[in-house]
Amino acid sequence: MNFNNFTLSEFDCPSLPDSGKNMDTNFIHKLDHARDIAGISFKITSGYRTKERNAEVGGVPNSSHLIGVAADIAVSSGSERYIILNALIKAGFRRLGVAKTFIHCDNDSIEQGGTKPNSVWTY
């Protein structure tokens, strides 16, 4: 797979080498598009997760990370958070979680063929 801004290894679960290959390619293409819109790099802090890793980090049992349609992106300032959120929305993401140090995005909304409602939440 070729993406403009990412390699599959950036989405690897720390406990399972080469697990980035479990990511949904449509999700990564959409994230790639958001990165192009943003014009700044995205540092992925969490992509694919095993059930064990998800439990370790306190993820919900039905986390979109488990099926490869979610990522957390590091943020370090309010302006960076704004740029990334704006780009994710413009790229078509409908589920976003905002924390002090990261933004969660996923492609698991009902509207996009998933099981969850469109939503923006905070941690």
Side-chain angles (χ1 to χ4, degrees), residues 21 40 55 75 89 97:
K21 67 183 179 190
I40 62 172
V75 295
I89 291 167

Side-chain angles (χ1 to χ4, degrees), residues 91-108:
F93 284 95
R94 301 290 178 254
R95 294 184 41 78
L96 302 167
V98 182
K100 183 176 183 179
T101 60
F102 69 92
I103 295 170
H104 167 95
C105 63
D106 71 56
N107 228 12
D108 204 11

Side-chain angles (χ1 to χ4, degrees), residues 13 15-16 19 48-55 65-66:
C13 182
S15 61
L16 186 62
S19 57
Y48 180 78
R49 290 184 193 159
T50 62
K51 287 182 183 179
E52 297 78 16
R53 177 67 178 169
N54 192 57
H65 289 276
L66 297 169

Side-chain angles (χ1 to χ4, degrees), residues 62-117:
N62 66 340
S63 172
S64 301
H65 289 276
L66 297 169
I67 59 172
V69 294
D72 296 343
I73 305 162
V75 295
S76 59
S77 70
S79 60
E80 185 179 47
R81 188 176 295 107
Y82 175 83
I83 291 167
I84 293 171
L85 282 170
N86 187 48
L88 291 168
I89 291 167
K90 284 182 176 179
F93 284 95
R94 301 290 178 254
R95 294 184 41 78
L96 302 167
V98 182
K100 183 176 183 179
T101 60
F102 69 92
I103 295 170
H104 167 95
C105 63
D106 71 56
N107 228 12
D108 204 11
S109 74
I110 294 166
E111 174 181 291
Q112 296 167 319
T115 60
K116 300 171 184 168

Side-chain angles (χ1 to χ4, degrees), residues 1 3 8 21-30 68:
M1 313 272 152
F3 306 103
L8 288 177
K21 67 183 179 190
N22 295 319
M23 293 296 293
D24 180 86
T25 55
N26 291 328
F27 170 83
I28 299 178
H29 281 296
K30 186 177 278 194

